[in-house]
Amino acid sequence: MLRDALLIAGKDLRLELRSRVALNQVLPFALLVLVLFAFALDPDRGLLARATPGLYWVAVLFSALLALQRSLSVESADGNRDALRLSGLDPAGIFLGKVLAVATQLAVLEVLLGVGVAVLYTTRITGWVLLAVTCVVATASIAAAGTLFGVVAAGLRVRETLLPLLLLPVLAPVLIGATRAFEAALAGSPSEGWPWVGLMGVFASLYIVAGVFGFGPLLEES
Amino acid sequence: MRPSVPVPPTEAVIRLRGVVALLGRFPALAGIDLEVAPRRIVLLRGANGAGKTTLLRTLAGLIAVAEGQATVLGVDLVADRRAVRHRVGLLGHATGLYDDLTVGDNVRFWARAAGAEADDAEQALVRLGLAGRLRSVAVSRLSAGQRRRTSLACLIARRPELWLLDEPHAGLDQDGRDLVDTILREATAAGATVLLSSHELDRSLQLADEVVTIAGGVVVADTGMSAP
């Protein structure tokens, strides 16, 4: 399973390196969202500073939708899904590989968005450990749930619009937990953030276990 | 070509009895009876919509058997159709290639996915004439014929025991079509079995050891093991 996961992750990351969809489309989109939030919530009124953690994670979520659509659309093209099913690869390995590839792209995106937040919103970054662990756990949750629900929607003509409808409600607890943890880190009281990280860890575990066992049957049906 | 996994010389590679397969509610296969011996090249004939593609996909384990008995490479498709998949190679109308990856990337990926060695991928690239400049070209930039060659290279690199080919000559030039025929003969000599559907009847009839004709989802003529 691990070998299959690394094979799929390597293939998906190579696809991204060659096509640069995340770099040329997802990243500019995410930065644009940050800029628009800054215009909508005037930095001088203080509201932007208070809303920064939530805005950051909303931008991450919107960008993740694009990355997930891309990750799954390459498997829908030109018989690739059949080829995957015939390959003999472990479906759980395929799932974990796609999660790993999406999570890697999101991690890079989150770092760059963090720089964007620091520059555009003049946010002073504190609580590095809590911020980093929150990013790891939230990213795992988003990538796992997104890959699982993405394969549900993949076989349908309306997949582009269906995925956000399916995914965003499921990820609401992750959005809340990540936002609260970021608020605690940026406020200089990280101890208030760790329970939220624990909660997100539970959701991440649930999504990963559901994906490991559910991805294969869903791949068959899609 | 390296030999495929040994198959007992007398046991049928494919054994179907009254197989029904549904596309939605439509019985695309309506009671197929078929037996194919090892190391044979079998031509599937039939008009468009006769059920050739559905038969190939059913044999590959991609479509469920709704009724009847089906055994492929000793695997009961009714009980577990997934178990046969990694042992067959299916070349359909779609290429099964990633457009943004290079030819070499695609062949190496599908070879590794099937558990083959890097050397198998390299040999396949050489065999299909893709080892030169084309190796580094993205699939999105290839012609239809070059895509077909790349798909064939992916198939060869996997070294399947059963080759299921839907119009394998389509999109290829004269040299490419000749090469396909040579590769199929080599594959059967190495122990594999081949089922192909083709509208290039003259070429395919020369290539095939037996001919199975399908109409309306059933076998209406068979010159091989299933013949009465």
Side-chain angles (χ1 to χ4, degrees), chain A residues 3 7-8 11 14-15 18-19 70 74-75 77-80 82-89 216-217 220, chain B residues 57 60 62 81-82 85-86 88 90 94-98 100-102 105 109-110 112-115 147 158:
Chain A
R3 184 200 78 96
L7 184 64
I8 290 289
K11 181 265 294 177
R14 186 172 288 113
L15 269 171
R18 302 248 195 247
S19 66
R70 164 70 178 168
V74 295
E75 308 301 353
D78 211 9
N80 292 349
D82 281 348
L84 263 189
R85 290 197 287 174
L86 288 168
S87 68
L89 291 171
E220 287 297 314
Chain B
R57 289 174 60 80
L62 291 174
R81 62 192 163 99
R82 294 181 203 180
R85 288 177 180 171
H86 68 285
V88 306
L90 175 67
T95 62
L97 301 173
Y98 295 102
D100 290 320
L101 293 184
T102 66
D105 286 340
F109 169 73
W110 289 118
R112 288 185 64 195
R147 282 171 176 256
R158 294 183 56 186

Short mmCIF file of all heavy atoms in Angstrom, two decimals, chain A residues 3 7-8 11 14-15 18-19 70 74-75 77-80 82-89 216-217 220, chain B residues 57 60 62 81-82 85-86 88 90 94-98 100-102 105 109-110 112-115 147 158:
data_model
loop_
_atom_site.label_atom_id
_atom_site.label_comp_id
_atom_site.label_asym_id
_atom_site.label_seq_id
_atom_site.Cartn_x
_atom_site.Cartn_y
_atom_site.Cartn_z
N ARG A 3 3.95 1.53 -1.10
CA ARG A 3 4.60 1.66 -2.40
C ARG A 3 3.65 2.28 -3.42
O ARG A 3 4.02 3.18 -4.18
CB ARG A 3 5.04 0.27 -2.90
CG ARG A 3 5.82 0.26 -4.19
CD ARG A 3 5.78 -1.11 -4.86
NE ARG A 3 4.53 -1.35 -5.56
CZ ARG A 3 4.35 -1.14 -6.87
NH1 ARG A 3 5.33 -0.70 -7.61
NH2 ARG A 3 3.19 -1.38 -7.46
N LEU A 7 3.93 5.87 -5.34
CA LEU A 7 3.91 5.90 -6.81
C LEU A 7 2.88 6.92 -7.31
O LEU A 7 3.15 7.72 -8.21
CB LEU A 7 3.58 4.50 -7.33
CG LEU A 7 3.60 4.31 -8.85
CD1 LEU A 7 5.01 4.52 -9.40
CD2 LEU A 7 3.09 2.92 -9.23
N ILE A 8 1.67 6.87 -6.73
CA ILE A 8 0.61 7.79 -7.15
C ILE A 8 0.98 9.23 -6.78
O ILE A 8 0.80 10.16 -7.59
CB ILE A 8 -0.72 7.40 -6.47
CG1 ILE A 8 -1.25 6.08 -7.05
CG2 ILE A 8 -1.77 8.50 -6.62
CD1 ILE A 8 -1.76 6.18 -8.47
N LYS A 11 3.51 10.51 -9.17
CA LYS A 11 2.91 10.80 -10.48
C LYS A 11 2.12 12.10 -10.44
O LYS A 11 2.24 12.95 -11.34
CB LYS A 11 2.02 9.61 -10.88
CG LYS A 11 1.34 9.73 -12.23
CD LYS A 11 -0.06 10.28 -12.14
CE LYS A 11 -1.01 9.35 -11.40
NZ LYS A 11 -2.35 9.95 -11.26
N ARG A 14 4.43 15.04 -10.22
CA ARG A 14 5.11 15.26 -11.50
C ARG A 14 4.14 15.92 -12.48
O ARG A 14 4.53 16.81 -13.25
CB ARG A 14 5.61 13.92 -12.06
CG ARG A 14 6.45 14.09 -13.33
CD ARG A 14 7.11 12.80 -13.77
NE ARG A 14 8.19 12.41 -12.90
CZ ARG A 14 8.18 11.33 -12.12
NH1 ARG A 14 7.13 10.53 -12.11
NH2 ARG A 14 9.21 11.05 -11.35
N LEU A 15 2.88 15.49 -12.44
CA LEU A 15 1.86 16.14 -13.29
C LEU A 15 1.78 17.63 -12.98
O LEU A 15 1.66 18.46 -13.88
CB LEU A 15 0.49 15.48 -13.04
CG LEU A 15 0.10 14.30 -13.91
CD1 LEU A 15 -1.16 13.65 -13.38
CD2 LEU A 15 -0.12 14.75 -15.35
N ARG A 18 4.81 19.49 -14.31
CA ARG A 18 4.78 19.67 -15.76
C ARG A 18 3.69 20.66 -16.18
O ARG A 18 3.89 21.44 -17.10
CB ARG A 18 4.51 18.33 -16.45
CG ARG A 18 5.53 17.25 -16.11
CD ARG A 18 6.37 16.89 -17.31
NE ARG A 18 7.07 15.65 -17.09
CZ ARG A 18 8.39 15.55 -16.97
NH1 ARG A 18 9.15 16.61 -17.04
NH2 ARG A 18 8.97 14.37 -16.79
N SER A 19 2.54 20.61 -15.54
CA SER A 19 1.41 21.45 -15.98
C SER A 19 1.38 22.80 -15.25
O SER A 19 0.89 23.78 -15.78
CB SER A 19 0.09 20.72 -15.73
OG SER A 19 -0.12 20.55 -14.35
N ARG A 70 -8.58 19.39 -9.81
CA ARG A 70 -7.50 19.04 -10.74
C ARG A 70 -7.01 17.61 -10.48
O ARG A 70 -6.82 16.83 -11.41
CB ARG A 70 -6.35 20.05 -10.56
CG ARG A 70 -5.04 19.65 -11.16
CD ARG A 70 -5.07 19.65 -12.66
NE ARG A 70 -3.76 19.29 -13.21
CZ ARG A 70 -3.54 18.99 -14.48
NH1 ARG A 70 -4.54 19.02 -15.34
NH2 ARG A 70 -2.36 18.68 -14.90
N VAL A 74 -7.76 14.64 -13.66
CA VAL A 74 -6.75 13.93 -14.48
C VAL A 74 -7.06 12.44 -14.54
O VAL A 74 -6.67 11.77 -15.50
CB VAL A 74 -5.31 14.15 -13.97
CG1 VAL A 74 -4.90 15.59 -14.10
CG2 VAL A 74 -5.12 13.65 -12.56
N GLU A 75 -7.76 11.93 -13.55
CA GLU A 75 -8.12 10.50 -13.57
C GLU A 75 -9.39 10.25 -14.37
O GLU A 75 -9.70 9.10 -14.69
CB GLU A 75 -8.28 9.97 -12.15
CG GLU A 75 -7.12 10.24 -11.21
CD GLU A 75 -5.80 9.65 -11.69
OE1 GLU A 75 -5.78 8.92 -12.68
OE2 GLU A 75 -4.76 9.98 -11.07
N ALA A 77 -9.96 11.70 -17.29
CA ALA A 77 -9.69 11.94 -18.71
C ALA A 77 -9.24 10.67 -19.42
O ALA A 77 -8.45 9.90 -18.88
CB ALA A 77 -8.61 13.02 -18.84
N ASP A 78 -9.78 10.46 -20.59
CA ASP A 78 -9.26 9.49 -21.57
C ASP A 78 -8.99 8.09 -21.01
O ASP A 78 -7.95 7.50 -21.27
CB ASP A 78 -7.97 10.04 -22.19
CG ASP A 78 -7.82 9.53 -23.64
OD1 ASP A 78 -8.77 8.94 -24.15
OD2 ASP A 78 -6.75 9.73 -24.21
N GLY A 79 -9.93 7.60 -20.25
CA GLY A 79 -9.83 6.21 -19.81
C GLY A 79 -8.86 5.96 -18.68
O GLY A 79 -8.53 4.81 -18.37
N ASN A 80 -8.38 7.03 -18.02
CA ASN A 80 -7.40 6.82 -16.96
C ASN A 80 -7.98 6.10 -15.75
O ASN A 80 -7.27 5.38 -15.06
CB ASN A 80 -6.80 8.17 -16.53
CG ASN A 80 -5.94 8.77 -17.61
OD1 ASN A 80 -5.64 8.10 -18.60
ND2 ASN A 80 -5.58 10.01 -17.47
N ASP A 82 -10.24 3.72 -15.80
CA ASP A 82 -10.20 2.28 -16.12
C ASP A 82 -8.78 1.75 -16.01
O ASP A 82 -8.55 0.66 -15.48
CB ASP A 82 -10.71 2.04 -17.55
CG ASP A 82 -12.23 2.07 -17.62
OD1 ASP A 82 -12.87 2.05 -16.55
OD2 ASP A 82 -12.76 2.14 -18.74
N ALA A 83 -7.82 2.53 -16.50
CA ALA A 83 -6.43 2.09 -16.43
C ALA A 83 -5.98 1.93 -14.98
O ALA A 83 -5.27 0.98 -14.65
CB ALA A 83 -5.53 3.09 -17.16
N LEU A 84 -6.42 2.84 -14.13
CA LEU A 84 -6.08 2.72 -12.70
C LEU A 84 -6.69 1.46 -12.10
O LEU A 84 -6.05 0.74 -11.33
CB LEU A 84 -6.62 3.93 -11.93
CG LEU A 84 -5.68 5.10 -11.65
CD1 LEU A 84 -6.36 6.08 -10.71
CD2 LEU A 84 -4.35 4.66 -11.10
N ARG A 85 -7.96 1.20 -12.47
CA ARG A 85 -8.63 0.01 -11.91
C ARG A 85 -7.96 -1.27 -12.40
O ARG A 85 -7.94 -2.27 -11.70
CB ARG A 85 -10.11 0.02 -12.29
CG ARG A 85 -10.88 1.13 -11.57
CD ARG A 85 -12.36 0.90 -11.62
NE ARG A 85 -12.93 1.14 -12.94
CZ ARG A 85 -14.19 0.91 -13.26
NH1 ARG A 85 -15.00 0.40 -12.37
NH2 ARG A 85 -14.63 1.17 -14.47
N LEU A 86 -7.42 -1.23 -13.62
CA LEU A 86 -6.77 -2.42 -14.17
C LEU A 86 -5.31 -2.56 -13.71
O LEU A 86 -4.69 -3.59 -13.92
CB LEU A 86 -6.77 -2.37 -15.71
CG LEU A 86 -8.12 -2.59 -16.39
CD1 LEU A 86 -8.04 -2.23 -17.86
CD2 LEU A 86 -8.55 -4.04 -16.23
N SER A 87 -4.79 -1.52 -13.10
CA SER A 87 -3.36 -1.50 -12.80
C SER A 87 -2.94 -2.48 -11.72
O SER A 87 -1.78 -2.86 -11.64
CB SER A 87 -2.96 -0.09 -12.37
OG SER A 87 -3.54 0.21 -11.12
N GLY A 88 -3.90 -2.87 -10.89
CA GLY A 88 -3.53 -3.73 -9.77
C GLY A 88 -3.08 -2.94 -8.56
O GLY A 88 -2.71 -3.52 -7.53
N LEU A 89 -3.09 -1.60 -8.66
CA LEU A 89 -2.73 -0.78 -7.50
C LEU A 89 -3.80 -0.92 -6.42
O LEU A 89 -4.99 -1.00 -6.72
CB LEU A 89 -2.61 0.69 -7.91
CG LEU A 89 -1.44 1.06 -8.82
CD1 LEU A 89 -1.57 2.50 -9.30
CD2 LEU A 89 -0.12 0.87 -8.09
N GLY A 216 -11.92 2.44 -2.55
CA GLY A 216 -12.00 1.36 -3.53
C GLY A 216 -13.41 1.15 -4.06
O GLY A 216 -13.64 1.20 -5.27
N PRO A 217 -14.39 0.89 -3.17
CA PRO A 217 -15.76 0.74 -3.65
C PRO A 217 -16.28 1.96 -4.40
O PRO A 217 -16.99 1.83 -5.40
CB PRO A 217 -16.56 0.53 -2.35
CG PRO A 217 -15.58 -0.04 -1.39
CD PRO A 217 -14.26 0.59 -1.74
N GLU A 220 -14.98 2.05 -7.89
CA GLU A 220 -15.71 1.09 -8.73
C GLU A 220 -17.01 1.68 -9.25
O GLU A 220 -17.40 1.44 -10.39
CB GLU A 220 -16.04 -0.17 -7.92
CG GLU A 220 -14.86 -1.06 -7.65
CD GLU A 220 -14.25 -1.60 -8.92
OE1 GLU A 220 -15.00 -2.06 -9.79
OE2 GLU A 220 -13.02 -1.52 -9.06
N ARG B 57 -14.44 -5.56 -22.13
CA ARG B 57 -14.42 -4.92 -20.81
C ARG B 57 -14.90 -5.87 -19.72
O ARG B 57 -14.44 -5.81 -18.58
CB ARG B 57 -15.28 -3.64 -20.83
CG ARG B 57 -14.62 -2.52 -21.65
CD ARG B 57 -15.54 -1.32 -21.80
NE ARG B 57 -15.93 -0.74 -20.53
CZ ARG B 57 -15.17 0.09 -19.81
NH1 ARG B 57 -13.98 0.42 -20.27
NH2 ARG B 57 -15.59 0.57 -18.67
N ALA B 60 -12.09 -8.11 -18.88
CA ALA B 60 -11.07 -7.39 -18.11
C ALA B 60 -11.51 -7.16 -16.67
O ALA B 60 -10.72 -6.67 -15.86
CB ALA B 60 -10.78 -6.05 -18.77
N LEU B 62 -13.98 -5.16 -15.76
CA LEU B 62 -14.46 -3.80 -15.55
C LEU B 62 -15.98 -3.73 -15.51
O LEU B 62 -16.55 -2.79 -14.95
CB LEU B 62 -13.95 -2.87 -16.66
CG LEU B 62 -12.44 -2.58 -16.63
CD1 LEU B 62 -12.03 -1.78 -17.86
CD2 LEU B 62 -12.07 -1.82 -15.37
N ARG B 81 -14.26 -10.20 -9.70
CA ARG B 81 -13.74 -9.77 -11.00
C ARG B 81 -12.50 -8.90 -10.86
O ARG B 81 -11.73 -8.75 -11.80
CB ARG B 81 -14.82 -9.06 -11.81
CG ARG B 81 -15.37 -7.79 -11.20
CD ARG B 81 -16.62 -7.34 -11.94
NE ARG B 81 -17.38 -6.39 -11.16
CZ ARG B 81 -17.34 -5.09 -11.33
NH1 ARG B 81 -16.58 -4.58 -12.27
NH2 ARG B 81 -18.08 -4.30 -10.59
N ARG B 82 -12.27 -8.33 -9.67
CA ARG B 82 -11.08 -7.49 -9.51
C ARG B 82 -9.80 -8.31 -9.53
O ARG B 82 -8.74 -7.81 -9.86
CB ARG B 82 -11.15 -6.73 -8.18
CG ARG B 82 -12.27 -5.74 -8.12
CD ARG B 82 -12.26 -5.01 -6.79
NE ARG B 82 -13.57 -4.47 -6.48
CZ ARG B 82 -13.86 -3.79 -5.40
NH1 ARG B 82 -12.93 -3.61 -4.47
NH2 ARG B 82 -15.06 -3.33 -5.19
N ARG B 85 -7.84 -8.40 -12.88
CA ARG B 85 -7.50 -7.16 -13.60
C ARG B 85 -6.01 -6.95 -13.84
O ARG B 85 -5.61 -6.52 -14.92
CB ARG B 85 -8.06 -5.95 -12.84
CG ARG B 85 -9.56 -5.85 -12.91
CD ARG B 85 -10.03 -4.68 -12.09
NE ARG B 85 -11.48 -4.56 -12.14
CZ ARG B 85 -12.16 -3.74 -11.37
NH1 ARG B 85 -11.54 -3.00 -10.47
NH2 ARG B 85 -13.47 -3.67 -11.47
N HIS B 86 -5.20 -7.21 -12.84
CA HIS B 86 -3.78 -6.93 -13.00
C HIS B 86 -3.10 -7.94 -13.92
O HIS B 86 -1.94 -7.77 -14.27
CB HIS B 86 -3.09 -6.91 -11.63
CG HIS B 86 -3.04 -8.24 -10.95
ND1 HIS B 86 -4.13 -8.81 -10.36
CD2 HIS B 86 -2.02 -9.12 -10.81
CE1 HIS B 86 -3.78 -9.98 -9.86
NE2 HIS B 86 -2.52 -10.20 -10.11
N VAL B 88 -4.58 -8.87 -16.91
CA VAL B 88 -4.99 -8.61 -18.29
C VAL B 88 -4.50 -7.22 -18.71
O VAL B 88 -4.26 -6.35 -17.88
CB VAL B 88 -6.53 -8.70 -18.47
CG1 VAL B 88 -7.05 -10.01 -17.97
CG2 VAL B 88 -7.22 -7.54 -17.77
N LEU B 90 -5.77 -4.21 -21.29
CA LEU B 90 -6.88 -3.76 -22.13
C LEU B 90 -6.46 -2.51 -22.89
O LEU B 90 -6.05 -1.52 -22.29
CB LEU B 90 -8.11 -3.45 -21.26
CG LEU B 90 -9.32 -2.85 -21.99
CD1 LEU B 90 -9.93 -3.86 -22.96
CD2 LEU B 90 -10.38 -2.38 -20.98
N ALA B 94 -10.07 4.64 -25.58
CA ALA B 94 -9.35 5.66 -24.82
C ALA B 94 -7.90 5.22 -24.65
O ALA B 94 -7.59 4.04 -24.67
CB ALA B 94 -10.00 5.86 -23.46
N THR B 95 -7.02 6.21 -24.48
CA THR B 95 -5.59 5.87 -24.43
C THR B 95 -5.13 5.48 -23.03
O THR B 95 -4.16 4.74 -22.87
CB THR B 95 -4.73 7.06 -24.89
OG1 THR B 95 -4.95 8.16 -24.01
CG2 THR B 95 -5.08 7.47 -26.31
N GLY B 96 -5.80 6.00 -21.99
CA GLY B 96 -5.33 5.74 -20.63
C GLY B 96 -4.00 6.42 -20.33
O GLY B 96 -3.21 5.91 -19.54
N LEU B 97 -3.77 7.57 -20.94
CA LEU B 97 -2.50 8.28 -20.75
C LEU B 97 -2.75 9.63 -20.08
O LEU B 97 -3.83 10.21 -20.24
CB LEU B 97 -1.82 8.52 -22.10
CG LEU B 97 -1.50 7.27 -22.93
CD1 LEU B 97 -0.98 7.68 -24.31
CD2 LEU B 97 -0.47 6.40 -22.22
N TYR B 98 -1.75 10.12 -19.36
CA TYR B 98 -1.82 11.44 -18.75
C TYR B 98 -1.21 12.46 -19.71
O TYR B 98 -0.01 12.39 -20.02
CB TYR B 98 -1.07 11.45 -17.41
CG TYR B 98 -1.71 10.56 -16.39
CD1 TYR B 98 -1.19 9.31 -16.11
CD2 TYR B 98 -2.87 10.95 -15.72
CE1 TYR B 98 -1.79 8.47 -15.17
CE2 TYR B 98 -3.48 10.13 -14.79
CZ TYR B 98 -2.93 8.89 -14.52
OH TYR B 98 -3.54 8.07 -13.60
N ASP B 100 -0.32 15.54 -19.57
CA ASP B 100 0.74 16.46 -19.17
C ASP B 100 2.06 15.76 -18.85
O ASP B 100 3.07 16.41 -18.63
CB ASP B 100 0.31 17.30 -17.97
CG ASP B 100 -0.76 18.31 -18.36
OD1 ASP B 100 -0.64 18.89 -19.46
OD2 ASP B 100 -1.71 18.50 -17.59
N LEU B 101 2.03 14.44 -18.81
CA LEU B 101 3.27 13.69 -18.61
C LEU B 101 3.89 13.35 -19.96
O LEU B 101 3.19 13.27 -20.98
CB LEU B 101 3.02 12.41 -17.82
CG LEU B 101 2.58 12.55 -16.36
CD1 LEU B 101 2.46 11.18 -15.71
CD2 LEU B 101 3.56 13.42 -15.58
N THR B 102 5.18 13.09 -19.95
CA THR B 102 5.84 12.70 -21.20
C THR B 102 5.53 11.24 -21.52
O THR B 102 5.00 10.49 -20.67
CB THR B 102 7.36 12.87 -21.08
OG1 THR B 102 7.84 11.93 -20.11
CG2 THR B 102 7.74 14.28 -20.66
N ASP B 105 7.43 9.14 -19.06
CA ASP B 105 6.78 9.16 -17.74
C ASP B 105 5.59 8.21 -17.71
O ASP B 105 5.41 7.45 -16.75
CB ASP B 105 6.26 10.57 -17.42
CG ASP B 105 7.38 11.54 -17.07
OD1 ASP B 105 8.46 11.08 -16.70
OD2 ASP B 105 7.13 12.77 -17.16
N PHE B 109 5.37 4.90 -15.48
CA PHE B 109 4.37 4.87 -14.40
C PHE B 109 3.50 3.62 -14.49
O PHE B 109 3.33 2.90 -13.49
CB PHE B 109 3.48 6.12 -14.45
CG PHE B 109 2.29 6.02 -13.52
CD1 PHE B 109 2.46 6.12 -12.15
CD2 PHE B 109 1.02 5.79 -14.02
CE1 PHE B 109 1.38 6.00 -11.29
CE2 PHE B 109 -0.07 5.66 -13.16
CZ PHE B 109 0.12 5.77 -11.79
N TRP B 110 2.96 3.34 -15.66
CA TRP B 110 2.05 2.19 -15.77
C TRP B 110 2.81 0.87 -15.61
O TRP B 110 2.25 -0.11 -15.12
CB TRP B 110 1.28 2.23 -17.09
CG TRP B 110 0.25 3.32 -17.11
CD1 TRP B 110 0.20 4.39 -17.95
CD2 TRP B 110 -0.88 3.47 -16.23
NE1 TRP B 110 -0.87 5.19 -17.65
CE2 TRP B 110 -1.55 4.65 -16.61
CE3 TRP B 110 -1.39 2.73 -15.17
CZ2 TRP B 110 -2.70 5.10 -15.96
CZ3 TRP B 110 -2.53 3.18 -14.51
CH2 TRP B 110 -3.18 4.34 -14.91
N ARG B 112 5.47 0.47 -13.62
CA ARG B 112 5.70 0.34 -12.17
C ARG B 112 4.41 0.01 -11.44
O ARG B 112 4.41 -0.76 -10.47
CB ARG B 112 6.31 1.62 -11.62
CG ARG B 112 7.75 1.83 -12.02
CD ARG B 112 8.32 3.06 -11.34
NE ARG B 112 8.38 2.91 -9.89
CZ ARG B 112 8.56 3.91 -9.05
NH1 ARG B 112 8.69 5.14 -9.50
NH2 ARG B 112 8.61 3.70 -7.75
N ALA B 113 3.30 0.58 -11.90
CA ALA B 113 2.01 0.29 -11.26
C ALA B 113 1.68 -1.19 -11.36
O ALA B 113 1.05 -1.76 -10.46
CB ALA B 113 0.90 1.12 -11.91
N ALA B 114 2.11 -1.81 -12.45
CA ALA B 114 1.83 -3.24 -12.65
C ALA B 114 2.91 -4.11 -12.01
O ALA B 114 2.87 -5.33 -12.14
CB ALA B 114 1.73 -3.54 -14.14
N GLY B 115 3.86 -3.48 -11.36
CA GLY B 115 4.91 -4.26 -10.70
C GLY B 115 6.03 -4.67 -11.63
O GLY B 115 6.86 -5.50 -11.26
N ARG B 147 0.06 8.47 -29.92
CA ARG B 147 -0.63 8.14 -28.67
C ARG B 147 -0.92 6.64 -28.61
O ARG B 147 -0.78 6.00 -27.58
CB ARG B 147 -1.96 8.90 -28.58
CG ARG B 147 -1.83 10.34 -28.17
CD ARG B 147 -3.16 11.04 -28.33
NE ARG B 147 -3.09 12.40 -27.86
CZ ARG B 147 -3.59 12.82 -26.70
NH1 ARG B 147 -4.22 11.98 -25.91
NH2 ARG B 147 -3.47 14.06 -26.32
N ARG B 158 3.62 -3.95 -19.18
CA ARG B 158 2.94 -4.66 -18.08
C ARG B 158 3.05 -6.17 -18.22
O ARG B 158 2.77 -6.90 -17.28
CB ARG B 158 1.45 -4.28 -18.07
CG ARG B 158 1.17 -2.86 -17.73
CD ARG B 158 -0.30 -2.62 -17.69
NE ARG B 158 -0.94 -3.54 -16.75
CZ ARG B 158 -2.24 -3.65 -16.57
NH1 ARG B 158 -3.05 -2.90 -17.26
NH2 ARG B 158 -2.73 -4.50 -15.70
#
